[in-house]
Amino acid sequence: SVNPDLASERQTASFSVEKLTAWLDGGVECTRMRRAVVDAIESDPVFSRENQYFQSQNERYEAAVRKAVHLQRKMREMGWTENGPEFKYIYRAVSGDVAFLLHRVFMRSISVLGSDKQIAKWIPLATQYQLIGSYAQTELGHGTYIQGLETTAVYDTTTQEFILNTPKISAMKWWPGDMGRSSTHTVAFAQLYIHGKCYGVHPFIVQIRSLRDHSLCPGIIAGDIGPKMSFEHADNGFLMLQNVRVPRENMLSNFCEVQPDGTYTRRGSEQINYLTMTTVRIALISDEVLVALMKACTIAIRYSVVRRQSKLKPGEEEAKILDYQTQQEKLLPQLAAAYAFHTTNDYLQKLFDKSYSEIQKNNLEVLPELHALSSGFKAVITQHCTSAVEICLRACGGHGYSLLSGLPSLYTKILASCIYEGENTILLLQTARFLIKCFMAARAGQPVPPSVTYLATEKLGKCPARNKLDFLSPDIYTEAYQHTAIRLTSSAAAKLQDLVQSGAKKHDAWNQCTVQLVQAAKAHCHYITVKNFTETVEKLEPRAGIQKIMKHLCDLFALHGIISNAGVFLHDGYISGAQMDMVTASYLDLLPVIRKDAVPLVDAFDFTDKSLNSALGSYDGQVYQRLYEWAQKSPTNKQGNPAYERYLKPLLHNTLSKL
Amino acid sequence: SVNPDLASERQTASFSVEKLTAWLDGGVECTRMRRAVVDAIESDPVFSRENQYFQSQNERYEAAVRKAVHLQRKMREMGWTENGPEFKYIYRAVSGDVAFLLHRVFMRSISVLGSDKQIAKWIPLATQYQLIGSYAQTELGHGTYIQGLETTAVYDTTTQEFILNTPKISAMKWWPGDMGRSSTHTVAFAQLYIHGKCYGVHPFIVQIRSLRDHSLCPGIIAGDIGPKMSFEHADNGFLMLQNVRVPRENMLSNFCEVQPDGTYTRRGSEQINYLTMTTVRIALISDEVLVALMKACTIAIRYSVVRRQSKLKPGEEEAKILDYQTQQEKLLPQLAAAYAFHTTNDYLQKLFDKSYSEIQKNNLEVLPELHALSSGFKAVITQHCTSAVEICLRACGGHGYSLLSGLPSLYTKILASCIYEGENTILLLQTARFLIKCFMAARAGQPVPPSVTYLATEKLGKCPARNKLDFLSPDIYTEAYQHTAIRLTSSAAAKLQDLVQSGAKKHDAWNQCTVQLVQAAKAHCHYITVKNFTETVEKLEPRAGIQKIMKHLCDLFALHGIISNAGVFLHDGYISGAQMDMVTASYLDLLPVIRKDAVPLVDAFDFTDKSLNSALGSYDGQVYQRLYEWAQKSPTNKQGNPAYERYLKPLLHNTLSKL
């Protein structure tokens, strides 16, 4: 039975939860299909995550491999294919704990970087799992700066082979997923040397384990890198190469080739490679980051209407903690952010689709904008959502800190997204470089991509809002965001120019401006998010109450952003102190309004109890009962007390001296 | 041998590291004693933490009990006592992973809450470990709000016993440390009922496990609450009581007593109880929070001069990442915060000592200020340091995410400090209540405690700084902090009054102001921190270079705080936009200055490699070598691959269909 404190929250929804779910999914049909996939996966015991919080790294790894292997069968059984419409729901349904994700990256890199002949040879082997692939790029000493990789591949004309080596310890491959214990082959990146000359980093297919008995191949030292904050199920690995020879044909040669005699030829543009990174970063936002935040909001908000603590009014019963202003202030902006970034994700997806069809027509001009936006948003959204999940965790007090709440694993996993697929600060600086370039071009009257045309406008002005209600006007706050994005970009550009004009070298000047450049890049992404959210809300059907509640969330997101970055808006007086008080007043007024719909708003994310895997967040709100039931399953309660006979008993029985 | 990239950093220190260490310790003699204790502990293999990152919850628990038991022997051996000068260094030396910490809380609560007779009976038993105690206050349904506890203790006049019960699941004791598997006795808090009347929450000594065989006593259901984000070594427990009878003498009766016939008598003031909470919160700051931040800074800063990535200048070798402005901007403010809060900790310790001697003279007037400051600082410092440790972790990129870096365990542990010993938001609201009260009194010309006399001053004014160098004047920035603390307190008070005057009930008005009240409490603590840091720096000897570098850190801390909360300072124009640019300029100028001394500044914290337990942070900077060595010790590399025979082999050998 549903806890009455949670049930009552569902009776007063101002909108249709089912319709909001369909909107989030992109249509009723998508919702139906997603639920069918989730149901098929969750009803299969192999995919159960019931004991996940009690498992060791070894157990988690074994389960992830079991699930990955079983998934192949399941897909055949269900008639799902990698290109079918169901595929995108599978990852969400298994909740990420599955092996062989890098096998797909192995295949994709061959498809993009390999020649037709290489594709014809390797892709069928990989598709049929006659080998297991991984992707060995990162080294102990090098991450995002790929040019610095130290692994070497020296071409030997006599045998027509490449000799791969790890010349020093920092050159060891480190972190590649699926490589520590599973994969038989990998795409290894190495500095290519021919006749003593270095040609830069190239990809090579290297077999690392025997296909017969899985033992390491000659010259290969490989293993698992050990425990991490999360991803216990993944065998992130290390790889040392000692005079490992691979045939000439194993260098992926869509863009460049080494002839038998060592002649090096290059063809086509490698720019298209950016497209792969872009795809991965955009997929990451929807598959890893948004899902994690939506789950965290679901757990924290449901718990906050079940948890009663202290009294709001003397003499009354204890209040639901969500009725406290401070709790609303913690959680509701995170809920608004989940919806805001959902619309940003749609925006990025559409931009990608549009750009992709241009690229198909050989128009590569769209790439810089796509790259800048996907880099910037990867950084901004992972960072924002990581903080948001942490806030959700802390807002649940002690119980949020228990693994059984599900929040710690969401947090430790989303935290990694700030680091992998490009370190966030470096990504933001790439966005900033694009912004500065476009800013200069725009001010010189040259054409710039659509997302940055606004940089051409030069308005000083003041915010025209006169009372707190004015700040519920999307024009007012969007304009404010635009203003600050322009101001920060323009002042970073001015500082750069000043430094260069006073004699600083370009790279020195750049380094001295990086803190402000990062700020400008963030402001740009923040502005696009707010603008896009408001435009999305305007286009919504006013029926079914959805537009109204989305408008509230959009307002809250925008105003919360202004308050959180108040200094940026107040700096040049665009918003005055008195106006900032209006922003605060409107913001605080919105909290109790959205609070009424908080539970329906998280219900609409439509996570099953199994996918939440949280004692605090289940649909029925039986929080305390479930914490107790789950705790009893802990291995700490099952295997007797290892410390009693050895330590506690001698201590208590005063035989300590005999120890 | 020391990595030359780290060695070179130590050759240019602008001050004497050894002298700074002595200052941090409070004198040369303290440093000597601390090192002796650390050495004695670390040279004893029982206290080794070598395999900690690979251990299960069960293994961690067993190790913690082993260490706790061994520590008793060690102390006898070394001649250390609980009241001796060495005692305070022991906890730091064992790095926290030790059981029976709650045994001391059990003893302290009996000492404070028990009668002389009770103390005479129980303290010797506990001292000799003829029992193991714990402290059972928190329940599944209640944490900080103690009045809401649901466990009951009904007095039975016929047998002169209390009958303890867990009337519903939310009343189950949940979280108490040392209770899940170790303790034999506990101080349980329960609502006292006599003849059907409730007298509120009282403490009872309850035996929960047999002293003979450690089995649960009749009517007791107890166990471990399962996995948490950290504290794997601690057996946080649950406890259900079913008609458990304890004799009348087991109610701790220093402040109130139940006569045999059920007559309830109260004596003395319980206010003194606050002192215990205060002690714990202040100890927490130095023992748990500051140490964690100092360790995180040591690891991240040493790693950042060893890690080279990308190029600052074309054609040169790759740069140390600490030479990038963005990396300095991440780490150096955290280093400054570690020093700032070190001085705050001294301030709190002195305040406590002074208050304590007043209280000994029966002057309880000092309690409210002490309580307000210890609550507020507990919240502000735990929150600030938790974020700071997270920044250090993220600043180390992928390797920071490995448990072997030591950073994840520092982070997950310090995060808990935001929750236990009082939830931070609630603590800040207690500080705010004190502030509002004092503000009203001060404005009415009444006397207020020393830390809040500044609230009486009513200055509007503007910041007098004219150029960026003016912002390196402590008077200028301290004044700015004071101004904002007054403004935020005064405007929260005004809003409260307005609401009440327009007819809102007091508790409603309070709830509607809580977001702003929290902000005022934070500003107050921030102001005191800055003021106290500047005063401490002024008093330092100018010799040995320490005063100079501390002045830089103090400036950096203060300016970083202004930039991070720019909105608060710009709001009423006290600082103008142009002045904020000066703050930013001065702040950015300080970064490369402090960067030069960054390694000596963390060396001065004087952590041994064993206590850091970090592959990234060791004194010799052999980062990559150590990561590789440690990874090889992981159980994932030692027990064969459990997934190969079962899943990988059938998959690769195409026998999948037979699975």
Side-chain angles (χ1 to χ4, degrees), chain A residues 62 390 401 411-412 646, chain B residues 62 330 390 401 411-412 646:
Chain A
E62 188 179 337
E390 197 202 9
Y401 192 78
Y411 174 72
T412 52
R646 276 191 229 167
Chain B
E62 188 179 337
K330 286 176 193 174
E390 197 202 9
Y401 192 79
Y411 174 73
T412 52
R646 277 190 229 166

Side-chain angles (χ1 to χ4, degrees), chain B residues 423-628:
Chain B
E423 199 277 330
N424 280 352
T425 303
I426 295 170
L427 292 185
L428 286 166
L429 287 172
Q430 289 179 8
T431 307
R433 206 176 277 278
F434 169 80
L435 277 183
I436 295 291
K437 214 170 144 186
C438 293
F439 175 79
M440 298 303 208
R443 290 291 158 106
Q446 291 157 14
V448 294
S451 63
V452 285
T453 46
Y454 76 94
L455 291 174
T457 57
E458 198 160 2
K459 288 181 275 193
L460 280 166
K462 305 269 176 200
C463 172
R466 291 184 187 184
N467 57 52
K468 66 178 183 177
L469 293 178
D470 285 346
F471 279 104
L472 301 178
S473 153
D475 288 346
I476 295 280
Y477 55 69
T478 308
E479 190 79 11
Y481 275 96
Q482 187 192 82
H483 176 85
T484 58
I486 296 173
R487 183 175 65 75
L488 290 170
T489 305
S490 132
S491 80
K495 185 176 168 187
L496 259 179
Q497 265 187 322
D498 283 358
L499 285 168
V500 171
Q501 275 164 12
S502 23
K505 295 215 172 118
K506 263 194 177 171
H507 49 262
D508 283 330
W510 181 262
N511 188 37
Q512 285 175 55
C513 294
T514 44
V515 167
Q516 284 140 307
L517 286 162
V518 163
Q519 216 187 359
K522 284 184 185 171
H524 171 66
C525 293
H526 212 154
Y527 161 58
I528 305 235
T529 304
V530 169
K531 180 163 167 277
N532 178 64
F533 197 1
T534 60
E535 287 168 1
T536 306
V537 170
E538 271 162 35
K539 282 182 222 141
L540 280 170
E541 277 280 339
R543 285 176 305 170
I546 290 176
Q547 191 186 42
K548 195 171 163 201
I549 187 69
M550 284 300 123
K551 167 73 167 59
H552 289 323
L553 288 171
C554 182
D555 293 347
L556 190 77
F557 178 79
L559 300 186
H560 181 257
I562 293 175
I563 295 169
S564 309
N565 302 284
V568 168
F569 292 88
L570 290 164
H571 188 279
D572 62 346
Y574 183 82
I575 286 184
S576 69
Q579 285 173 321
M580 195 56 78
D581 289 338
M582 297 171 199
V583 173
T584 304
S586 264
Y587 167 74
L588 292 176
D589 287 349
L590 276 168
L591 292 176
V593 175
I594 295 173
R595 182 256 169 271
K596 284 188 204 137
D597 278 325
V599 168
L601 281 167
V602 298
D603 282 352
F605 295 143
D606 201 27
F607 291 109
T608 62
D609 284 357
K610 282 184 182 167
S611 84
L612 290 172
N613 206 13
S614 164
L616 302 189
S618 293
Y619 190 83
D620 67 6
Q622 297 297 357
V623 167
Y624 301 133
Q625 185 63 40
R626 204 168 266 109
L627 271 174
Y628 181 44

Side-chain angles (χ1 to χ4, degrees), chain A residues 490-548:
Chain A
S490 132
S491 79
K495 184 176 169 187
L496 259 178
Q497 266 186 321
D498 284 357
L499 284 167
V500 171
Q501 275 164 13
S502 22
K505 294 215 172 120
K506 261 195 178 172
H507 49 263
D508 282 332
W510 181 262
N511 187 37
Q512 284 175 56
C513 293
T514 44
V515 167
Q516 283 140 308
L517 286 163
V518 163
Q519 216 189 0
K522 284 184 185 171
H524 171 66
C525 293
H526 213 153
Y527 161 58
I528 306 242
T529 303
V530 169
K531 181 163 167 276
N532 179 64
F533 197 1
T534 61
E535 288 169 0
T536 305
V537 170
E538 271 162 33
K539 282 182 221 141
L540 280 171
E541 277 280 337
R543 286 175 305 171
I546 290 175
Q547 192 187 42
K548 196 172 164 202

Side-chain angles (χ1 to χ4, degrees), chain A residues 53-54 57-58 61-62 65-66 69 73 100 129 132 140-143 145 169-170 172 174-175 181 211-214 221 223-227 229-231 238 307 309-310 312-314 318 323-326 329-330 383 386 390 394 397-399 401 403 408 411-412 415-416 419 423 425 495 507-508 511-512 514-516 566-567 570-571 577 581 588 624-625 627-628 631 634-637 639-642 644 646-648 651-653 656 659, chain B residues 53-54 57-58 61-62 65-66 69 73 100 129 132 140-143 145 169-170 172 174-175 181 211-214 221 223-231 238 307 309-310 312-314 318 323-326 329-330 383 386 390 394 397-399 401 403 408 411-412 415-416 419 423 425 495 507-508 511-512 514-516 566-567 570-571 577 581 588 624-625 627-628 631 634-637 639-642 644 646-648 651-653 656 659:
Chain A
Y53 302 130
F54 307 127
Q57 206 184 344
N58 267 327
Y61 164 69
E62 188 179 337
V65 172
R66 183 173 65 237
V69 171
R73 166 188 281 188
F100 306 161
Y129 280 96
I132 298 167
L140 254 180
H142 284 92
Y145 183 64
I169 195 153
S170 58
M172 209 186 308
W174 199 269
W175 280 109
R181 314 175 78 179
L211 287 171
R212 194 176 47 79
D213 64 3
H214 217 243
I221 295 171
D224 186 272
I225 64 164
M229 260 187 116
S230 184
F231 292 88
F238 61 78
R307 177 77 167 183
Q309 197 78 174
S310 195
L312 260 173
K313 294 178 198 188
E318 291 185 60
D323 287 326
Y324 292 94
Q325 190 187 48
T326 46
E329 213 268 325
K330 286 176 193 174
Q383 206 139 318
T386 299
E390 197 202 9
R394 287 202 213 177
H399 296 328
Y401 192 78
L403 289 201
Y411 174 72
T412 52
L415 176 62
I419 300 163
E423 199 276 331
T425 304
K495 184 176 169 187
H507 49 263
D508 282 332
N511 187 37
Q512 284 175 56
T514 44
V515 167
Q516 283 140 308
L570 290 164
H571 187 279
D581 288 339
L588 293 176
Y624 301 132
Q625 185 62 43
L627 271 174
Y628 181 43
S634 168
T636 46
N637 290 318
Q639 300 158 356
N641 185 343
Y644 179 65
R646 276 191 229 167
Y647 309 110
L648 296 176
L651 177 71
L652 289 165
H653 291 193
L656 185 62
L659 269 181
Chain B
Y53 302 130
F54 307 126
Q57 205 184 344
N58 267 326
Y61 164 69
E62 188 179 337
V65 172
R66 183 174 63 238
V69 170
R73 167 188 284 190
F100 306 160
Y129 279 98
I132 299 168
L140 253 180
H142 285 91
Y145 183 63
I169 194 154
S170 58
M172 209 185 310
W174 200 270
W175 280 109
R181 315 175 77 182
L211 287 171
R212 194 178 47 80
D213 64 2
H214 217 243
I221 296 171
D224 185 274
I225 64 164
K228 300 140 291 184
M229 262 187 115
S230 183
F231 292 88
F238 61 79
R307 178 76 167 183
Q309 197 78 174
S310 196
L312 260 174
K313 294 179 198 187
E318 291 186 58
D323 286 327
Y324 293 95
Q325 190 187 49
T326 47
E329 213 270 324
K330 286 176 193 174
Q383 206 139 317
T386 299
E390 197 202 9
R394 287 203 213 177
H399 297 327
Y401 192 79
L403 290 201
Y411 174 73
T412 52
L415 176 61
I419 299 162
E423 199 277 330
T425 303
K495 185 176 168 187
H507 49 262
D508 283 330
N511 188 37
Q512 285 175 55
T514 44
V515 167
Q516 284 140 307
L570 290 164
H571 188 279
D581 289 338
L588 292 176
Y624 301 133
Q625 185 63 40
L627 271 174
Y628 181 44
S634 169
T636 47
N637 289 319
Q639 300 158 357
N641 184 344
Y644 179 65
R646 277 190 229 166
Y647 308 111
L648 296 176
L651 177 71
L652 289 165
H653 291 191
L656 185 62
L659 271 181

